[in-house]
Amino acid sequence: MSLPVKELIKIGENRLRDACVADAAIDAKELFCYMMHIDRTRLMLSWQDVMQDNQCEEYFALVEKRASRVPLQHITGEQEFMGLTFQVSDKVLIPRQDTETMVEDALDVIHKNKVRNEELNCKARSSWSVLDLCCGSGAIGISLAKLGGDVKVTCSDLSAEALAMAELNGRSLGAKSVKFVRSDMFEAFRGKLGNKKFDMIISNPPYIRHDVIETLEPEVRDHEPMMALDGGEDGLDFYRQIVDEAPDFLKKEGVVMVEIGHDQMSDIIKLFSADDRYSFVTGLKDLAGRDRIVTAVLSPKKK
Ligand code: GLN
């Protein structure tokens, strides 16, 4: 069997659509590009080429794998985030576009001391030390190190396998001044002579409620690390710990920034607001208009 690229990809797309893959048309093209080591522009130029039998077979094998709901990124081994290519595996959460919004907000804080054009009520700093807590692939921390200017980043995660992936990404993306520390939340930063303190703590912690996990898409539920998703019975376990402990690891007027689930904004704002050590507690939306980020400054509320 030999087939023109156009037809081959159409067959792939239909197979993926039958398997209820969300972005069937995109993924069918991406799998072809991955197989041929070409980009999407090159694909457009190859549209009329004819593929031989063995290449068709190879393509269909990739399509079948994706049809079994293995995430595209686990097949290609990578995901783009903030214009950088991160390597991924089933040991780390695949970086999401939603999270780019938080990185952009963090860059605004770092560069302009502003959040969405509002002056942040904290002192301006010329250099920043940032902790990316629960770093997974390192997407957040490494992006900040690459794009933030004078930023020293520490990426930490409880999973040794995730941390190894983050380190690999740090190296392959040439992110200097990034440290990788294995830690159960803040544990490794506690010291007998004083804790390690940062200007910013940023985190995309596990936040899915236990009872929601079963309802997730198979790509997420069956292939992404549960450890990176499960936020406990009400999904808020990690936020409680962050709100409670972050002040011990922040410099004066340090900034906390967390990604949140779309239905968790009021709960998380309440957690920060109920704690007098924080001020400037702000909720922000992602590009799709869903609640996505909460930020707060370590500075006692004026009474
Ligand atoms: N946003 C992720 C999802 O949609 C969850 C990330 C997390 O729990 N931190 O699956």
Side-chain angles (χ1 to χ4, degrees), residues 171-190:
R171 233 178 302 129
S172 64
L173 290 166
K176 300 190 183 75
S177 78
V178 183
K179 278 197 207 143
F180 299 89
V181 178
R182 185 159 178 219
S183 179
D184 185 356
M185 295 297 278
F186 295 104
E187 219 36 60
F189 306 104
R190 234 174 260 292

Side-chain angles (χ1 to χ4, degrees), residues 18-149:
D18 286 347
C20 300
V21 168
D23 295 315
I26 295 175
D27 287 12
K29 292 191 188 88
E30 288 295 339
L31 287 173
F32 184 81
C33 289
Y34 165 70
M35 179 179 85
M36 299 299 289
H37 308 288
I38 58 172
D39 61 18
R40 291 286 286 271
T41 317
R42 185 63 209 283
L43 169 62
M44 292 307 141
L45 301 173
S46 319
W47 219 227
Q48 307 297 342
D49 293 0
V50 173
M51 303 308 282
Q52 294 313 312
D53 196 26
N54 57 339
Q55 286 173 309
C56 294
E57 290 308 321
E58 194 186 338
Y59 179 69
F60 290 140
L62 291 172
V63 167
E64 274 320 302
K65 196 162 181 191
R66 182 70 190 95
S68 77
R69 306 299 292 271
V70 171
L72 176 71
Q73 297 86 341
H74 287 181
I75 299 172
T76 64
E78 59 186 44
Q79 171 64 40
E80 198 183 295
F81 182 86
M82 295 300 291
L84 305 167
T85 302
F86 285 86
Q87 297 181 56
V88 297
S89 72
D90 59 358
K91 304 295 185 249
V92 297
L93 192 82
I94 298 164
R96 312 285 207 257
Q97 216 180 3
D98 298 331
T99 308
E100 290 183 332
T101 313
M102 178 165 73
V103 172
E104 273 157 18
D105 285 321
L107 288 171
D108 272 358
V109 171
I110 288 167
H111 291 143
K112 306 186 216 152
N113 230 35
K114 284 184 178 174
V115 169
R116 311 267 170 117
N117 284 327
E118 287 230 18
E119 210 64 49
L120 193 66
N121 192 12
C122 75
K123 70 168 190 279
R125 299 159 167 87
S126 54
S127 69
W128 286 75
S129 59
V130 178
L131 172 61
D132 175 4
L133 196 69
C134 312
C135 68
S137 66
I140 297 173
I142 292 168
S143 300
L144 291 177
K146 293 284 292 179
L147 308 169

